[in-house]
Amino acid sequence: MAVPDASKVRVRIAPSPTGFAHLGTASTALYNVLFGRANGGTFVLRIDDTDVERNRPEYELVIYESLHWLGLDWDEGPDKGGPDGPYRQSERLDLYKEHAARLLGEGKAYRCYCTPEELDAERKQAQAEKRPYKYSRRCLTNPPSGRPEFTVRFKVPGGEVKFTDMIRGEMSFDADLIGDFIIVKSDGYPTYNFASPVDDAAMKITHVIRGEEHLSNTPYQLMLVDALGYTRPVAYAHMPLILAKDGAKLSKRKHPEANLALYREQGYLPEALINYLALLGWNPGTSQEIFTFDELLRAFSFDRVQHAGARFDWEKLNWINGEYIRRLDDEELTRRLRPFLPNLDEATIRRAVPALKTRLTKLADAADLLDYLWTDPAPPELDPDSVESIRAAVHALNGVPWEPEPIHDALMQVVEESGAKPNKIFMPIRLAVTGKKISPPIDYTLALLPQDVAMSRLQRAIGGPA
RNA sequence: GGCCCCGUCGUCUAGUGGACUAGGACGCAGCCCUCUCAAGGCUGAGAUCGCGGGUUCGAAUCCCGCCGGGGCUACCA
């Protein structure tokens, strides 16, 4: 979508450090970066830490790490600074207080002394009478006295609130249905719907790109923007939600796949995750599935973003990740595999890489495939034929140069002499050496092991020297 | 309950009134390749386009109603 005016595009994400970094944060960040970069804009990271109860400073670091890992770097943020800092809402309290005071002074907001219990009772009664709930405005006309604690409520002007959503088009909400809502909590902190538009305005955010859960928050925020005399953002974009397999919104509690750290631990490539996330809720209109970041940048546009939530699907992610792994050159795969194979030296990993490449859906799988290199498998139960096969193999392998090709030739000799199918000979060897029925081709499997180790495992399997 | 968003193969989706016997991808099944497992190649199954009414010569596409899912309705964001 074209940018309507000449002013510099500024986008932002505003995660809350209330738990591990969320998949949705990555997705929102991606779309912000895609739109921001394509329009030569600035990407701002703001930390929305106004929930004193749930905030934890260490989670802020987790957010940084996850975003860096994905390559979604920001231009301004708490750690980098920038012209519109500070970028942590907990450090901008004075700003919100000023704005609240202004609203109070102009009669656009008022103090509310109602207790949570009283509010709850109001709400319950409305529900019992089957009438839509709106705050009664008791404290606007007739506030109780002698109560030290108060919140600040915005006096909702009502009317129709319209705005442009780059995905859904022209939106319109009836603000007469919205009750006076709280903008400053009794602890002095602003609520989300107050701090967010104030900061977006102060930070000159031109395009607000966020999850769909904020669609109905937008009229709240726009009324505040208007009341404060700020100019509204040029446009919004409310992205479809990422749903869990069961169709529910991805929650940190119920769905482990919401945790961004999981993908790094499992060995998903950041570029593969990005690719998958881009395709969740957006499509290029062509059959292309694999994109470099630059291709994404060029292809992305909000008018091809889906309106409905999309379910997260491990299978598709696995396939994309496998595609990316297969496209890595051997050197690069070796490098990326290193943290996942702490028991192996780099040379061994490098030798294993060609066989690994087509067998990995994620890097962590490599350990399952190669663990026979650092752990002795239990000797297998073998029938007499298998014992015979291994005995013949031990003879044939004796003194053979320890490389896949000579090993292969020697073993094929055994196969031919036995007149049996190759599998009859190879499977017992595989079992004896790896303890598993599945491995890369037997010659590679053997060659990766030091010759003496391989030979002793074979001998042990047949109960002594051949 | 009220307001808002949404509804095409199991999943992600193409589709904007006739080229739709509804296309692609993942997954699934079969075959080929093959020492096992993958990767790769080929083939196939899989969608009464949520349901019911309209409009039209003609509807997945337009209109209405219903149903279903999700979001907001918090001193969470």
Side-chain angles (χ1 to χ4, degrees):
Chain A
M1 174 168 282
V3 180
D5 70 339
S7 76
K8 194 102 155 66
V9 165
R10 288 172 64 81
V11 295
R12 52 69 164 181
I13 58 166
S16 297
T18 55
F20 56 66
H22 197 280
L23 224 215
T25 301
S27 169
T28 308
L30 206 217
Y31 290 118
N32 270 280
V33 168
L34 252 20
F35 179 79
R37 289 232 193 120
N39 290 288
T42 303
F43 176 43
V44 177
L45 171 63
R46 186 177 73 221
I47 297 294
D48 280 12
D49 55 349
T50 55
D51 185 348
V52 184
E53 295 280 298
R54 299 194 301 152
N55 284 326
R56 285 288 164 66
E58 60 267 32
Y59 292 140
E60 193 179 308
L61 263 0
V62 174
I63 292 170
Y64 294 167
E65 281 168 10
S66 299
L67 258 17
H68 278 311
W69 175 66
L70 285 166
L72 300 172
D73 296 297
W74 49 98
D75 304 302
E76 300 171 20
D79 58 332
K80 308 188 78 156
D84 297 304
Y87 292 89
R88 223 169 341 239
Q89 290 191 324
S90 59
E91 294 167 12
R92 301 170 66 82
L93 265 23
D94 288 348
L95 180 70
Y96 313 127
K97 288 206 172 90
E98 270 169 39
H99 283 75
R102 216 167 86 208
L103 255 15
L104 246 13
E106 292 170 0
K108 291 173 177 171
Y110 57 95
R111 292 189 170 83
C112 175
Y113 298 89
C114 296
T115 65
E117 293 72 31
E118 289 169 340
L119 261 12
D120 214 46
E122 266 193 12
R123 219 172 282 124
K124 287 236 170 67
Q125 184 166 359
Q127 202 173 3
E129 293 167 15
K130 289 186 186 271
R131 107 186 111 74
Y133 175 70
K134 265 173 80 172
Y135 174 61
S136 66
R137 280 193 166 171
R138 174 176 75 148
C139 291
L140 177 61
T141 51
N142 167 35
S145 56
R147 295 184 183 181
E149 284 223 329
F150 62 88
T151 60
V152 177
R153 276 185 195 271
F154 178 59
K155 197 160 75 186
V156 171
E160 197 181 26
V161 181
K162 294 181 177 177
F163 60 92
T164 302
D165 188 289
M166 294 186 280
I167 297 169
R168 292 178 165 77
E170 298 309 307
M171 302 297 302
S172 173
F173 285 82
D174 181 1
D176 292 337
L177 268 15
I178 298 174
D180 295 347
F181 56 94
I182 292 173
I183 57 175
V184 181
K185 307 180 224 176
S186 56
D187 65 4
Y189 276 71
T191 58
Y192 166 75
N193 272 333
F194 182 47
S196 189
V198 165
D199 284 339
D200 288 344
M203 294 176 178
K204 302 181 276 290
I205 301 303
T206 57
H207 300 260
V208 177
I209 301 160
R210 67 216 318 191
E212 198 201 306
E213 69 264 34
H214 295 302
L215 189 55
S216 15
N217 283 325
T218 307
Y220 291 67
Q221 302 181 186
L222 247 14
M223 285 191 285
L224 247 6
V225 169
D226 293 347
L228 256 7
Y230 283 122
T231 57
R232 292 149 70 130
V234 175
Y236 289 81
H238 290 95
M239 307 300 305
L241 260 19
I242 300 176
L243 272 19
K245 189 115 187 157
D246 58 12
K249 181 183 168 187
L250 261 197
S251 83
K252 293 184 180 183
R253 262 267 181 257
K254 284 173 60 188
H255 309 286
E257 64 269 36
N259 186 355
L260 266 178
L262 181 73
Y263 300 91
R264 204 220 283 243
E265 286 163 14
Q266 289 295 302
Y268 287 92
L269 308 188
E271 56 271 47
L273 218 210
I274 291 280
N275 195 144
Y276 177 65
L277 252 16
L279 255 22
L280 244 201
W282 168 83
N283 78 83
T286 67
S287 60
Q288 185 173 1
E289 302 270 345
I290 304 296
F291 293 83
T292 65
F293 199 83
D294 280 344
E295 288 173 325
L296 239 30
L297 228 41
R298 271 180 273 121
F300 181 78
S301 115
F302 280 112
D303 31 69
R304 294 202 68 89
V305 171
Q306 218 68 236
H307 295 190
R311 287 176 207 230
F312 180 86
D313 179 23
W314 283 110
E315 301 294 348
K316 182 89 178 230
L317 205 216
N318 284 341
W319 173 73
I320 290 180
N321 203 53
E323 286 291 307
Y324 273 83
I325 287 175
R326 272 166 244 135
R327 289 168 195 224
L328 254 27
D329 65 47
D330 291 0
E331 239 0 86
E332 182 62 15
L333 218 206
T334 302
R335 199 178 66 74
R336 301 221 196 187
L337 240 16
R338 261 168 59 170
F340 293 89
L341 297 167
N343 294 307
L344 298 180
D345 58 71
E346 190 170 328
T348 305
I349 297 175
R350 187 177 292 111
R351 279 195 297 147
V353 150
L356 248 27
K357 199 176 260 186
T358 59
R359 275 165 259 259
L360 299 178
T361 65
K362 49 190 194 292
L363 299 177
D365 294 344
D368 294 330
L369 252 20
L370 298 181
D371 60 2
Y372 75 99
L373 294 178
W374 64 83
T375 41
D376 262 323
E381 300 282 333
L382 296 173
D383 58 48
D385 278 1
S386 299
V387 171
E388 228 12 80
S389 298
I390 293 180
R391 198 183 303 281
V394 169
H395 278 297
L397 254 17
N398 213 334
V400 158
W402 210 238
E403 292 293 330
E405 204 169 321
I407 292 174
H408 181 258
D409 292 346
L411 255 21
M412 281 316 285
Q413 193 77 31
V414 176
V415 170
E416 275 166 36
E417 281 164 13
S418 75
K421 296 271 196 211
N423 195 36
K424 189 100 164 73
I425 308 296
F426 294 170
M427 193 49 82
I429 299 176
R430 180 161 9 245
L431 246 18
V433 165
T434 69
K436 296 171 186 168
K437 304 193 291 287
I438 292 169
S439 87
I442 197 64
D443 43 5
Y444 274 98
T445 300
L446 284 167
L448 284 175
L449 220 42
Q451 185 163 18
D452 56 328
V453 176
M455 294 306 277
S456 79
R457 281 185 195 174
L458 290 174
Q459 279 163 352
R460 194 186 50 168
I462 56 177

